[in-house]
């Protein structure tokens, strides 16, 4: 798994690209603070021919966001997150993206 950040000079946003290698998966989405933890079409990652899922989101910079991936219905943390934070509601740690 990987996260790429591209800060824009002309706007107060960062283009964040999430890449998840999941060849056997049928559906992968990224959910978090930035989309109210909703798995929908806008949060879905696109499956590429090489079996990885990828998606880019414009997120306001100078913020921190808790997030997880949903891979075929299972919540999975990003292994290369900026940090992890305990979440009482989820009863587990969430990955944190710092922009």
């Amino acid at each position: 798994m990987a996260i790429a950040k591209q800060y824009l000079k002309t706007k107060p946003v960062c283009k964040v690209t999430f890449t998840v290698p999941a060849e056997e998966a049928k559906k992968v989405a990224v959910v978090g603070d930035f989309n109210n933890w909703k798995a929908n079409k806008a949060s879905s990652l696109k499956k590429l021919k090489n079996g990885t899922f990828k998606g880019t989101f414009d997120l306001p910079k100078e913020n921190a966001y808790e997030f997880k991936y949903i891979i075929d219905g299972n919540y999975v943390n990003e292994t290369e997150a900026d940090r992890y934070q305990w979440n009482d509601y989820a009863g587990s740690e969430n990955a944190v993206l710092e922009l």
Side-chain angles (χ1 to χ4, degrees):
M1 293 185 253
I3 299 173
K5 302 174 189 175
Q6 180 185 5
Y7 291 91
L8 302 180
K9 293 179 182 175
T10 57
K11 296 180 183 175
V13 298
C14 179
K15 286 189 172 294
V16 180
T17 302
F18 297 94
T19 305
V20 179
E23 288 183 38
E24 304 299 317
K26 291 182 174 71
K27 188 175 180 184
V28 177
V30 61
V31 295
D33 294 336
F34 49 85
N35 63 7
N36 294 319
W37 297 90
K38 294 206 181 341
N40 55 30
K41 192 168 185 168
S43 66
S44 293
L45 304 183
K46 184 180 179 186
K47 188 168 190 174
L48 305 178
K49 289 181 182 179
N50 66 3
T52 62
F53 286 79
K54 195 173 197 176
T56 302
F57 299 83
D58 289 351
L59 301 177
K61 60 184 181 181
E62 299 179 9
N63 287 301
Y65 302 97
E66 289 185 39
F67 74 99
K68 283 196 176 196
Y69 298 115
I70 302 177
I71 302 174
D72 288 344
N74 298 310
Y75 286 87
V76 178
N77 261 334
E78 166 63 60
T79 56
E80 297 180 24
D82 295 324
R83 63 184 172 88
Y84 299 94
Q85 183 168 313
W86 180 260
N87 184 295
D88 285 334
Y89 182 77
S92 67
E93 283 188 332
N94 288 333
V96 177
L97 177 67
E98 293 184 349
L99 303 179

